Amino acid sequence: MSLTGLFLISFLVIHCIINATIFFDDGGKTFNKFAHFMGTNVIIRTMEIVLFAGLLLHIIDGLLIYFQNKKARPIQYVKENAAASSKWYSRSMAILGTLILLFLVMHMYHFWLRSRITGLTILDTHHIYDGHTYENMYGEMKFIFTNLWVVVIYVLGCISLFWHLLHGFKSAFQSLGFNHHKYKHAIAFSGDAFSIIISAIFASMPIAMYLGWIA
Ligand code: HEM
């Protein structure tokens, strides 16, 4: 669970950095070039299969742990004060993960399925930079984020991601044995900072496009 989680975290970092180029205020040129590279490079396309396999393993592992925990205590406590020893989001990883998965189904339909599988993007527009033709994924993104409901669902997805990471980041290191008191606090701080920063940057993308902050 921790290894697949950390692998997915490394994907989120790359995905977030590449997507953040939409803020370069260059009409999407840098982002479109990156999207083209990510969609055509053989190594990246192979890594895409590894990514989906990692995601699947993470989900299967999560479900196994969830049902193991349920089986371990078939009869619930009469009086339980779970809040005394754990945070609500630590006890809600399965539901938070499910919300992220629901968001991902919509997200894959919006971008990945259309640009990487069917090739049928909504706008089907292209830009020519330095003599090469690039699919206008930036324009596609802007169009998709003109719908307020889509923006709301994306922001809710990012909020679920925030809570999921807030527990998951620290927990992954703990499961791998990195819980020595010397660096425990540094890991906890990095986990909190990472969860806030990555979720806020992701959420700012649909919001900025919807509100027209980026042209
Ligand atoms: C909220 C802001 C986000 C935006 C604007 C965004 C945008 C995109 C775009 C444009 C693509 C397709 C790239 C292409 O086909 O060329 C993509 C792919 C993808 N996104 Fe996102 N994304 C966001 C957040 C997320 C989050 C939070 C996750 C995971 C929890 C995620 C997971 C993925 C995955 C798994 C793919 C497919 C991977 C691949 O094909 O390499 N995205 N995203």
Side-chain angles (χ1 to χ4, degrees):
M1 186 102 239
S2 48
L3 289 178
T4 50
L6 288 174
F7 171 64
L8 294 172
I9 282 177
S10 68
F11 159 75
L12 279 180
V13 174
I14 297 168
H15 190 29
C16 191
I17 293 173
I18 292 180
N19 280 19
T21 61
I22 62 167
F23 294 111
F24 278 8
D25 204 21
D26 60 356
K29 184 175 173 178
T30 314
F31 175 73
N32 282 342
K33 282 188 168 184
F34 262 127
H36 178 79
F37 173 75
M38 300 298 281
T40 50
N41 183 281
V42 183
I43 299 170
I44 306 280
R45 292 308 310 256
T46 313
M47 278 310 287
E48 203 172 284
I49 300 168
V50 181
L51 173 69
F52 285 120
L55 182 65
L56 197 67
L57 267 178
H58 191 72
I59 295 168
I60 293 171
D61 248 348
L63 288 175
L64 283 177
I65 290 175
Y66 177 77
F67 287 112
Q68 247 168 32
N69 286 346
K70 281 237 161 258
K71 226 172 95 186
R73 180 160 298 284
I75 302 163
Q76 296 300 308
Y77 287 114
V78 177
K79 196 172 180 315
E80 189 184 359
N81 185 11
S85 56
S86 64
K87 299 273 195 306
W88 72 267
Y89 53 86
S90 308
R91 285 176 271 120
S92 314
M93 289 301 273
I95 184 81
L96 289 167
T98 308
L99 289 175
I100 297 170
L101 187 63
L102 290 177
F103 153 78
L104 272 180
V105 171
M106 185 191 208
H107 184 44
M108 292 300 97
Y109 170 71
H110 278 151
F111 298 106
W112 179 79
L113 184 76
R114 286 179 179 152
S115 88
R116 304 251 173 108
I117 304 295
T118 62
L120 300 169
T121 53
I122 307 171
L123 300 176
D124 192 28
T125 54
H126 294 81
H127 279 311
I128 297 171
Y129 309 122
D130 315 314
H132 296 283
T133 307
Y134 296 87
E135 193 174 34
N136 185 16
M137 284 305 287
Y138 179 78
E140 193 77 3
M141 229 197 225
K142 264 175 66 180
F143 180 77
I144 284 168
F145 295 140
T146 52
N147 183 328
L148 180 61
W149 284 112
V150 171
V151 174
V152 170
I153 291 173
Y154 268 69
V155 172
L156 290 176
C158 293
I159 293 172
S160 308
L161 180 70
F162 162 72
W163 292 115
H164 196 75
L165 286 173
L166 199 62
H167 172 78
F169 190 104
K170 279 177 270 200
S171 171
F173 283 96
Q174 194 174 3
S175 303
L176 291 174
F178 293 98
N179 57 354
H180 192 277
H181 67 270
K182 263 192 195 159
Y183 38 75
K184 205 166 86 181
H185 296 293
I187 291 175
F189 176 79
S190 313
D192 293 354
F194 178 79
S195 314
I196 296 170
I197 294 169
I198 209 102
S199 314
I201 297 176
F202 270 130
S204 71
M205 295 169 191
I207 295 175
M209 285 194 157
Y210 181 76
L211 296 176
W213 291 343
I214 37 181

